[in-house]
Amino acid sequence: MARFNKVQVIEAMRATGMVPVFFNSNIDICKNVIKACYEGGVRVFEFTNRGDFAHEIFGELVKWATVECPELILGAGTVIDAPTAVLYMQLGANFIVGPNFNPEIAPVCNRRLVPYSPGCGSVSEMSDAQAAGCDVTKVFPAGNVGGPSFVKNVLGPLRWSNIMVTGAVSPDEENLTSWVKAGVLCVGMGSQLFPKDVITAADWHAITAKCEESLGYIAKARR
């Protein structure tokens, strides 16, 4: 079961403004990446369901993080159907994220008060997801959908929206500032935060530094 409730999850997303997104089939690499992010100030982390036996790795990470990163809110991403959402929640997922909106996922998450953040590419999708109880909707792929201007325009008629953006987000000041100024609740960031050469070199300190830097840019933009 989830260790953190829905209010705690959404508030942590808002407070930090960034959710790293990562998957690797090597559990030791996952642990090092998560720990590096945690030491850099990250408190919400999305493990993506993108490989064989990913759920087994996730289950072990949840147990490990409870001890090593006690304040970390760990969730599962790339979840496209209800059975997979249930599987990850049973393993301790504190939130569920998907690349698309599947109305069948919403009620199984709502029943356990676990946030479900579906990927949406239009105002209609976002509104339908919100009607199904999705407190945080993910604009994906954010760069292709329309970038920061799309978010800003959506928040006109749907001003109550909590928007996460994933895709076309990079850990540089100009990019992060543009998303924050548009009004996002938080950004999701994967490959740009974890370059392959950094992972290969096991340069975990570089990841910590990049997280600290990115969170600094977000905080500055909010001021």
Side-chain angles (χ1 to χ4, degrees):
M1 292 178 60
R3 289 198 302 122
F4 299 88
N5 64 43
K6 179 181 284 194
V7 174
Q8 290 173 308
V9 174
I10 296 173
E11 173 54 24
M13 289 179 173
R14 185 208 63 77
T16 60
M18 183 176 78
V19 180
V21 178
F22 184 76
F23 169 80
N24 195 287
S25 59
N26 185 312
I27 192 168
D28 290 326
I29 289 177
C30 291
K31 288 178 179 179
N32 280 304
V33 166
I34 291 172
K35 187 70 171 181
C37 289
Y38 188 74
E39 293 178 348
V42 167
R43 289 300 178 267
V44 187
F45 192 99
E46 176 188 330
F47 177 83
T48 55
N49 177 47
R50 293 188 180 178
D52 292 338
F53 309 108
H55 66 286
E56 295 183 4
I57 298 171
F58 181 79
E60 292 303 312
L61 289 174
V62 169
K63 289 182 281 189
W64 168 84
T66 299
V67 177
E68 297 295 329
C69 308
E71 296 179 16
L72 184 71
I73 299 173
L74 192 58
T78 317
V79 176
I80 62 173
D81 54 49
T84 304
V86 172
L87 173 63
Y88 275 94
M89 285 191 290
Q90 197 67 17
L91 291 170
N94 293 280
F95 61 93
I96 298 294
V97 181
N100 61 314
F101 171 47
N102 183 339
E104 295 178 359
I105 296 177
V108 300
C109 289
N110 291 339
R111 195 177 299 277
R112 301 193 189 193
L113 298 182
V114 170
Y116 168 43
S117 299
C120 301
S122 69
V123 175
S124 293
E125 283 184 316
M126 292 176 69
S127 184
D128 289 345
Q130 290 168 355
C134 301
D135 295 288
V136 178
T137 48
K138 183 178 81 167
V139 172
F140 176 80
N144 302 87
V145 169
S149 63
F150 175 80
V151 173
K152 183 177 181 179
N153 289 330
V154 166
L155 287 172
L158 302 184
R159 59 187 181 278
W160 49 81
S161 301
N162 296 311
I163 298 175
M164 174 196 296
V165 290
T166 305
V169 179
S170 59
D172 62 86
E173 185 170 12
E174 181 179 2
N175 184 277
L176 291 173
T177 298
S178 65
W179 289 115
V180 171
K181 295 298 186 183
V184 300
L185 176 78
C186 62
V187 300
M189 200 166 4
S191 59
Q192 301 253 27
L193 196 60
F194 312 115
K196 289 184 178 180
D197 59 328
V198 172
I199 299 297
T200 301
D203 190 355
W204 315 125
H205 292 297
I207 293 175
T208 296
K210 185 60 67 176
C211 287
E212 291 176 339
E213 182 181 6
S214 300
L215 291 172
Y217 290 146
I218 292 170
K220 179 182 176 181
R222 286 176 168 176
R223 292 195 295 268

Coordinates of all heavy atoms in Angstrom, one line a residue, residues 108-186:
V108 N -9.9 2.6 -10.1 CA -9.1 1.7 -9.3 C -8.1 2.5 -8.4 O -7.8 2.1 -7.3 CB -8.4 0.6 -10.1 CG1 -9.4 -0.3 -10.8 CG2 -7.4 1.2 -11.0
C109 N -7.7 3.6 -9.0 CA -6.8 4.5 -8.2 C -7.6 5.3 -7.2 O -7.2 5.4 -6.0 CB -6.0 5.5 -9.1 SG -4.8 4.7 -10.1
N110 N -8.7 5.8 -7.6 CA -9.6 6.6 -6.7 C -10.0 5.8 -5.5 O -10.2 6.3 -4.4 CB -10.8 7.1 -7.4 CG -10.5 8.2 -8.5 OD1 -9.4 8.8 -8.4 ND2 -11.3 8.4 -9.5
R111 N -10.3 4.5 -5.7 CA -10.8 3.6 -4.7 C -9.7 3.5 -3.5 O -10.1 3.4 -2.4 CB -11.0 2.2 -5.2 CG -11.9 1.3 -4.3 CD -12.2 0.0 -5.0 NE -12.9 0.2 -6.2 CZ -14.2 0.3 -6.2 NH1 -15.0 0.3 -5.1 NH2 -14.9 0.4 -7.4
R112 N -8.5 3.7 -3.9 CA -7.4 3.7 -2.9 C -6.8 5.0 -2.6 O -5.8 5.2 -1.9 CB -6.3 2.7 -3.4 CG -6.7 1.3 -3.6 CD -5.5 0.4 -3.8 NE -5.9 -0.9 -4.3 CZ -5.1 -2.0 -4.2 NH1 -3.8 -1.8 -3.8 NH2 -5.5 -3.2 -4.7
L113 N -7.4 6.1 -3.1 CA -7.0 7.4 -3.0 C -5.5 7.6 -3.4 O -4.7 8.3 -2.8 CB -7.2 7.9 -1.5 CG -8.6 7.9 -1.0 CD1 -8.7 8.5 0.4 CD2 -9.5 8.8 -1.9
V114 N -5.2 7.0 -4.5 CA -3.8 7.1 -5.1 C -4.0 8.0 -6.3 O -4.8 7.7 -7.2 CB -3.3 5.7 -5.5 CG1 -2.0 5.9 -6.3 CG2 -3.0 4.9 -4.2
P115 N -3.2 9.1 -6.4 CA -3.3 10.0 -7.6 C -3.0 9.3 -8.9 O -2.0 8.5 -9.0 CB -2.2 11.0 -7.3 CG -2.0 11.0 -5.8 CD -2.2 9.5 -5.4
Y116 N -3.8 9.5 -9.9 CA -3.6 9.0 -11.2 C -3.4 10.2 -12.1 O -4.3 11.1 -12.3 CB -4.8 8.2 -11.7 CG -4.8 7.8 -13.2 CD1 -3.6 7.4 -13.8 CD2 -6.0 7.9 -13.9 CE1 -3.7 7.1 -15.2 CE2 -6.0 7.6 -15.2 CZ -4.9 7.2 -15.9 OH -4.9 6.9 -17.2
S117 N -2.2 10.4 -12.8 CA -1.9 11.5 -13.6 C -1.8 11.0 -15.1 O -0.7 10.4 -15.5 CB -0.6 12.2 -13.2 OG -0.7 12.7 -11.9
P118 N -2.8 11.1 -15.9 CA -2.8 10.6 -17.2 C -2.2 11.6 -18.2 O -2.3 12.8 -18.0 CB -4.3 10.3 -17.5 CG -5.0 11.4 -16.7 CD -4.2 11.6 -15.5
G119 N -1.7 11.0 -19.3 CA -1.2 11.9 -20.4 C -2.3 12.4 -21.2 O -3.2 11.7 -21.6
C120 N -2.4 13.7 -21.4 CA -3.4 14.4 -22.2 C -2.8 15.3 -23.2 O -1.8 16.0 -22.9 CB -4.4 15.2 -21.2 SG -5.2 14.2 -19.9
G121 N -3.5 15.4 -24.4 CA -3.0 16.2 -25.4 C -4.0 17.3 -25.9 O -3.7 17.9 -26.9
S122 N -5.1 17.4 -25.2 CA -6.1 18.4 -25.6 C -6.9 18.8 -24.3 O -6.8 18.2 -23.3 CB -7.1 17.8 -26.6 OG -7.9 16.8 -26.0
V123 N -7.6 19.9 -24.5 CA -8.4 20.5 -23.4 C -9.5 19.5 -23.1 O -9.8 19.3 -21.9 CB -9.0 21.8 -23.8 CG1 -10.0 22.3 -22.7 CG2 -7.9 22.9 -24.0
S124 N -10.1 18.8 -24.1 CA -11.1 17.8 -23.8 C -10.6 16.7 -23.0 O -11.3 16.2 -22.0 CB -11.7 17.3 -25.1 OG -12.4 18.4 -25.8
E125 N -9.5 16.1 -23.4 CA -8.9 15.0 -22.6 C -8.6 15.4 -21.1 O -8.9 14.7 -20.2 CB -7.6 14.6 -23.2 CG -7.8 13.7 -24.5 CD -6.5 13.2 -25.0 OE1 -5.5 13.9 -25.1 OE2 -6.4 12.0 -25.3
M126 N -8.1 16.6 -21.0 CA -7.8 17.1 -19.6 C -9.1 17.2 -18.8 O -9.1 16.8 -17.6 CB -7.0 18.4 -19.7 CG -5.6 18.3 -20.2 SD -4.8 19.9 -20.4 CE -4.6 20.3 -18.6
S127 N -10.1 17.8 -19.4 CA -11.4 18.0 -18.7 C -12.0 16.7 -18.4 O -12.5 16.5 -17.3 CB -12.3 18.8 -19.6 OG -13.5 19.1 -18.9
D128 N -12.0 15.7 -19.3 CA -12.5 14.4 -19.0 C -11.8 13.7 -17.9 O -12.4 13.0 -17.1 CB -12.5 13.5 -20.3 CG -13.5 14.0 -21.4 OD1 -14.4 14.8 -21.0 OD2 -13.3 13.6 -22.5
A129 N -10.4 13.8 -17.9 CA -9.6 13.2 -16.9 C -9.9 13.8 -15.5 O -10.1 13.1 -14.5 CB -8.1 13.4 -17.2
Q130 N -10.1 15.1 -15.5 CA -10.5 15.8 -14.2 C -11.8 15.3 -13.7 O -12.0 15.1 -12.5 CB -10.4 17.3 -14.4 CG -9.0 17.8 -14.6 CD -9.0 19.3 -15.1 OE1 -10.0 19.9 -15.4 NE2 -7.8 19.9 -15.2
A131 N -12.8 15.2 -14.6 CA -14.1 14.7 -14.3 C -14.0 13.3 -13.7 O -14.9 12.9 -12.9 CB -15.0 14.7 -15.5
A132 N -13.0 12.5 -14.1 CA -12.8 11.1 -13.6 C -12.1 11.1 -12.3 O -11.8 10.0 -11.7 CB -12.1 10.3 -14.6
G133 N -11.7 12.3 -11.8 CA -11.0 12.4 -10.5 C -9.5 12.5 -10.5 O -8.8 12.3 -9.5
C134 N -9.0 12.9 -11.7 CA -7.5 13.0 -11.8 C -7.1 14.5 -11.4 O -7.4 15.4 -12.1 CB -7.1 12.8 -13.2 SG -7.5 11.1 -13.8
D135 N -6.5 14.6 -10.2 CA -6.2 15.9 -9.7 C -5.0 16.6 -10.4 O -4.9 17.8 -10.5 CB -5.9 15.8 -8.2 CG -7.1 15.3 -7.4 OD1 -8.0 16.1 -7.2 OD2 -7.1 14.2 -6.9
V136 N -4.1 15.7 -10.9 CA -3.0 16.2 -11.7 C -3.0 15.6 -13.1 O -3.0 14.4 -13.2 CB -1.6 15.9 -11.0 CG1 -0.5 16.4 -11.8 CG2 -1.6 16.5 -9.6
T137 N -3.1 16.4 -14.1 CA -3.1 15.9 -15.5 C -1.8 16.2 -16.1 O -1.2 17.2 -15.9 CB -4.2 16.5 -16.3 OG1 -4.2 17.9 -16.2 CG2 -5.6 15.9 -15.9
K138 N -1.3 15.2 -16.9 CA 0.0 15.3 -17.5 C -0.1 15.7 -19.0 O -0.8 15.0 -19.7 CB 0.8 14.0 -17.4 CG 2.2 14.1 -18.0 CD 3.0 12.8 -17.8 CE 2.6 11.8 -18.9 NZ 3.6 10.6 -18.9
V139 N 0.5 16.8 -19.4 CA 0.5 17.2 -20.8 C 1.7 16.4 -21.4 O 2.8 16.6 -21.0 CB 0.7 18.7 -21.0 CG1 0.9 19.0 -22.5 CG2 -0.6 19.4 -20.5
F140 N 1.3 15.5 -22.4 CA 2.4 14.7 -23.0 C 2.0 14.4 -24.5 O 0.8 14.1 -24.7 CB 2.5 13.4 -22.2 CG 3.5 12.4 -22.9 CD1 4.9 12.6 -22.7 CD2 3.0 11.4 -23.6 CE1 5.8 11.7 -23.3 CE2 3.9 10.5 -24.3 CZ 5.3 10.7 -24.1
P141 N 2.9 14.4 -25.4 CA 4.3 15.0 -25.2 C 4.2 16.5 -25.3 O 3.8 17.1 -26.3 CB 5.0 14.4 -26.4 CG 4.0 14.1 -27.4 CD 2.7 13.9 -26.7
A142 N 4.7 17.1 -24.2 CA 4.5 18.6 -24.0 C 5.0 19.4 -25.1 O 4.4 20.4 -25.5 CB 5.1 19.0 -22.7
G143 N 6.2 19.1 -25.6 CA 6.8 19.9 -26.7 C 6.0 19.8 -28.0 O 5.8 20.8 -28.7
N144 N 5.5 18.6 -28.3 CA 4.7 18.5 -29.5 C 3.3 19.0 -29.4 O 2.7 19.5 -30.4 CB 4.6 17.0 -29.9 CG 6.0 16.4 -30.1 OD1 6.6 15.9 -29.1 ND2 6.5 16.3 -31.3
V145 N 2.7 18.9 -28.3 CA 1.4 19.4 -28.1 C 1.3 20.9 -28.2 O 0.3 21.5 -28.7 CB 0.8 19.0 -26.7 CG1 -0.4 19.7 -26.3 CG2 0.6 17.5 -26.6
G146 N 2.3 21.6 -27.8 CA 2.3 23.1 -28.0 C 3.2 23.9 -27.1 O 3.2 25.1 -27.1
G147 N 3.9 23.2 -26.2 CA 4.9 23.9 -25.4 C 4.2 24.7 -24.3 O 3.1 24.6 -24.0
P148 N 5.0 25.6 -23.7 CA 4.5 26.4 -22.6 C 3.3 27.3 -22.9 O 2.4 27.5 -22.1 CB 5.7 27.3 -22.3 CG 6.9 26.5 -22.7 CD 6.5 25.8 -23.9
S149 N 3.2 27.7 -24.2 CA 2.0 28.5 -24.6 C 0.7 27.7 -24.5 O -0.3 28.2 -24.1 CB 2.2 29.0 -26.0 OG 2.2 28.0 -26.9
F150 N 0.8 26.4 -24.7 CA -0.4 25.5 -24.6 C -0.8 25.5 -23.1 O -2.0 25.6 -22.8 CB 0.0 24.1 -25.1 CG -1.2 23.1 -24.9 CD1 -2.2 23.0 -25.7 CD2 -1.2 22.2 -23.8 CE1 -3.3 22.1 -25.6 CE2 -2.2 21.3 -23.6 CZ -3.2 21.3 -24.5
V151 N 0.1 25.3 -22.2 CA -0.2 25.3 -20.8 C -0.9 26.6 -20.4 O -1.9 26.6 -19.7 CB 1.0 25.0 -20.0 CG1 0.7 25.1 -18.5 CG2 1.6 23.6 -20.3
K152 N -0.2 27.7 -20.8 CA -0.7 29.0 -20.4 C -2.2 29.2 -20.9 O -3.0 29.7 -20.2 CB 0.2 30.1 -20.9 CG -0.2 31.5 -20.5 CD 0.8 32.5 -21.1 CE 0.4 33.9 -20.6 NZ 1.4 34.9 -21.1
N153 N -2.4 28.8 -22.2 CA -3.7 29.0 -22.7 C -4.8 28.1 -22.1 O -5.9 28.5 -21.9 CB -3.7 28.7 -24.2 CG -2.9 29.8 -25.0 OD1 -2.9 31.0 -24.6 ND2 -2.3 29.5 -26.1
V154 N -4.4 26.9 -21.8 CA -5.3 25.9 -21.1 C -5.8 26.5 -19.7 O -6.9 26.3 -19.3 CB -4.7 24.5 -20.9 CG1 -5.5 23.7 -20.0 CG2 -4.6 23.8 -22.3
L155 N -4.8 27.1 -19.0 CA -5.1 27.6 -17.7 C -6.0 28.8 -17.7 O -6.4 29.3 -16.6 CB -3.8 27.9 -16.9 CG -3.0 26.7 -16.5 CD1 -1.7 27.1 -16.0 CD2 -3.8 25.9 -15.5
G156 N -6.4 29.3 -18.9 CA -7.4 30.3 -19.0 C -8.8 29.8 -18.7 O -9.4 30.1 -17.6
P157 N -9.3 28.9 -19.5 CA -10.6 28.3 -19.2 C -10.6 27.3 -18.1 O -11.6 27.1 -17.4 CB -11.0 27.7 -20.6 CG -9.7 27.4 -21.2 CD -8.8 28.5 -20.8
L158 N -9.5 26.5 -17.9 CA -9.4 25.5 -16.9 C -8.4 25.9 -15.8 O -7.4 25.3 -15.5 CB -9.0 24.2 -17.5 CG -9.8 23.6 -18.6 CD1 -9.3 22.2 -19.1 CD2 -11.3 23.5 -18.2
R159 N -8.7 27.1 -15.2 CA -7.7 27.7 -14.3 C -7.5 26.9 -13.1 O -6.5 27.2 -12.3 CB -8.2 29.1 -14.0 CG -9.6 29.2 -13.3 CD -10.0 30.6 -13.1 NE -11.3 30.7 -12.4 CZ -12.5 30.6 -13.0 NH1 -12.5 30.3 -14.3 NH2 -13.6 30.7 -12.4
W160 N -8.3 26.0 -12.7 CA -8.1 25.1 -11.6 C -7.2 24.0 -11.8 O -6.9 23.2 -10.9 CB -9.5 24.6 -11.1 CG -10.2 23.9 -12.3 CD1 -10.1 22.7 -12.8 CD2 -11.2 24.6 -13.1 NE1 -10.9 22.5 -13.9 CE2 -11.6 23.6 -14.1 CE3 -11.9 25.8 -13.1 CZ2 -12.6 23.9 -15.1 CZ3 -12.8 26.1 -14.0 CH2 -13.2 25.2 -15.0
S161 N -6.7 23.8 -13.0 CA -5.9 22.6 -13.4 C -4.5 22.6 -12.7 O -3.9 23.6 -12.6 CB -5.7 22.6 -14.9 OG -7.0 22.5 -15.6
N162 N -4.1 21.4 -12.3 CA -2.8 21.1 -11.9 C -2.1 20.3 -13.0 O -2.4 19.2 -13.2 CB -2.8 20.2 -10.6 CG -3.4 20.9 -9.4 OD1 -3.1 22.1 -9.1 ND2 -4.4 20.3 -8.7
I163 N -1.2 21.0 -13.6 CA -0.6 20.4 -14.8 C 0.9 20.0 -14.6 O 1.7 20.8 -14.2 CB -0.7 21.4 -16.0 CG1 -2.1 21.7 -16.3 CG2 0.0 20.8 -17.2 CD1 -2.3 22.7 -17.4
M164 N 1.2 18.8 -15.0 CA 2.5 18.2 -15.1 C 2.9 18.2 -16.5 O 2.0 17.8 -17.4 CB 2.6 16.8 -14.4 CG 4.0 16.2 -14.6 SD 3.9 14.4 -14.3 CE 3.5 14.4 -12.5
V165 N 4.1 18.5 -16.9 CA 4.5 18.4 -18.3 C 5.7 17.5 -18.4 O 6.6 17.5 -17.6 CB 4.9 19.8 -18.9 CG1 3.6 20.6 -19.1 CG2 5.9 20.5 -18.1
T166 N 5.7 16.6 -19.4 CA 6.8 15.7 -19.7 C 7.0 15.6 -21.2 O 6.1 15.6 -22.0 CB 6.4 14.3 -19.2 OG1 6.1 14.3 -17.8 CG2 7.6 13.3 -19.4
G167 N 8.3 15.7 -21.6 CA 8.6 15.7 -23.0 C 9.0 17.2 -23.3 O 8.3 18.1 -23.0
A168 N 10.2 17.3 -23.9 CA 10.7 18.7 -24.2 C 11.0 19.5 -23.0 O 11.0 20.7 -23.0 CB 9.7 19.4 -25.1
V169 N 11.3 18.8 -21.9 CA 11.7 19.5 -20.7 C 13.2 19.2 -20.5 O 13.6 18.1 -20.5 CB 10.9 19.0 -19.4 CG1 11.4 19.8 -18.2 CG2 9.4 19.3 -19.6
S170 N 14.0 20.3 -20.3 CA 15.4 20.1 -20.1 C 15.9 20.8 -18.8 O 15.3 21.8 -18.5 CB 16.2 20.6 -21.3 OG 16.0 21.9 -21.6
P171 N 17.0 20.4 -18.2 CA 17.4 21.0 -17.0 C 18.2 22.3 -17.1 O 19.2 22.5 -16.4 CB 18.2 19.9 -16.3 CG 18.9 19.2 -17.5 CD 17.8 19.2 -18.6
D172 N 17.8 23.1 -18.0 CA 18.5 24.4 -18.1 C 17.6 25.5 -17.7 O 16.3 25.4 -17.7 CB 19.0 24.6 -19.6 CG 17.9 24.7 -20.6 OD1 17.3 25.8 -20.8 OD2 17.5 23.6 -21.1
E173 N 18.1 26.6 -17.3 CA 17.3 27.7 -16.7 C 16.2 28.3 -17.7 O 15.1 28.5 -17.3 CB 18.2 28.9 -16.3 CG 17.5 30.0 -15.5 CD 18.4 31.0 -14.9 OE1 19.6 31.0 -15.2 OE2 17.9 31.8 -14.1
E174 N 16.6 28.5 -18.9 CA 15.6 29.1 -19.9 C 14.4 28.2 -20.0 O 13.3 28.6 -20.0 CB 16.3 29.3 -21.2 CG 15.3 29.9 -22.2 CD 16.0 30.2 -23.6 OE1 17.2 29.9 -23.7 OE2 15.4 30.7 -24.5
N175 N 14.7 26.8 -20.2 CA 13.6 25.9 -20.5 C 12.7 25.8 -19.2 O 11.4 25.9 -19.3 CB 14.1 24.5 -20.8 CG 13.1 23.5 -21.2 OD1 12.5 22.9 -20.3 ND2 12.8 23.4 -22.4
L176 N 13.3 25.6 -18.1 CA 12.5 25.4 -16.8 C 11.7 26.7 -16.5 O 10.6 26.6 -16.1 CB 13.4 25.0 -15.7 CG 14.0 23.6 -15.8 CD1 15.1 23.4 -14.7 CD2 12.9 22.5 -15.7
T177 N 12.3 27.8 -16.7 CA 11.7 29.1 -16.4 C 10.4 29.2 -17.3 O 9.4 29.7 -16.8 CB 12.6 30.3 -16.6 OG1 13.7 30.1 -15.7 CG2 11.9 31.6 -16.4
S178 N 10.5 28.9 -18.6 CA 9.4 29.0 -19.5 C 8.2 28.2 -19.0 O 7.0 28.6 -19.1 CB 9.8 28.6 -20.9 OG 10.1 27.3 -21.0
W179 N 8.5 26.9 -18.5 CA 7.4 26.1 -18.1 C 6.8 26.6 -16.8 O 5.6 26.6 -16.6 CB 7.9 24.6 -17.9 CG 8.2 23.9 -19.1 CD1 9.4 23.5 -19.5 CD2 7.3 23.5 -20.1 NE1 9.3 22.8 -20.7 CE2 8.0 22.8 -21.1 CE3 5.9 23.6 -20.3 CZ2 7.4 22.3 -22.3 CZ3 5.3 23.1 -21.4 CH2 6.0 22.4 -22.4
V180 N 7.6 27.0 -15.9 CA 7.1 27.6 -14.6 C 6.3 28.8 -14.8 O 5.2 28.9 -14.2 CB 8.3 27.9 -13.6 CG1 7.8 28.6 -12.4 CG2 9.0 26.6 -13.2
K181 N 6.8 29.7 -15.6 CA 6.0 31.0 -15.9 C 4.7 30.7 -16.6 O 3.8 31.5 -16.5 CB 6.9 31.9 -16.7 CG 8.1 32.4 -16.0 CD 7.8 33.2 -14.8 CE 9.1 33.8 -14.2 NZ 8.8 34.6 -12.9
A182 N 4.6 29.6 -17.3 CA 3.4 29.2 -18.0 C 2.3 28.7 -17.0 O 1.1 28.7 -17.3 CB 3.6 28.1 -19.0
G183 N 2.8 28.3 -15.8 CA 1.9 27.9 -14.8 C 1.8 26.4 -14.4 O 0.8 26.0 -13.8
V184 N 2.8 25.6 -14.8 CA 2.8 24.2 -14.5 C 2.9 24.0 -12.9 O 3.5 24.8 -12.2 CB 3.9 23.4 -15.2 CG1 3.8 23.6 -16.7 CG2 5.3 23.9 -14.7
L185 N 2.3 22.9 -12.5 CA 2.4 22.4 -11.1 C 3.8 21.9 -10.9 O 4.5 22.1 -9.9 CB 1.4 21.3 -10.8 CG 1.5 20.7 -9.4 CD1 0.9 21.7 -8.3 CD2 0.8 19.4 -9.3
C186 N 4.3 21.1 -11.9 CA 5.6 20.5 -11.9 C 6.0 20.0 -13.3 O 5.2 19.9 -14.2 CB 5.7 19.3 -10.9 SG 4.6 17.9 -11.3

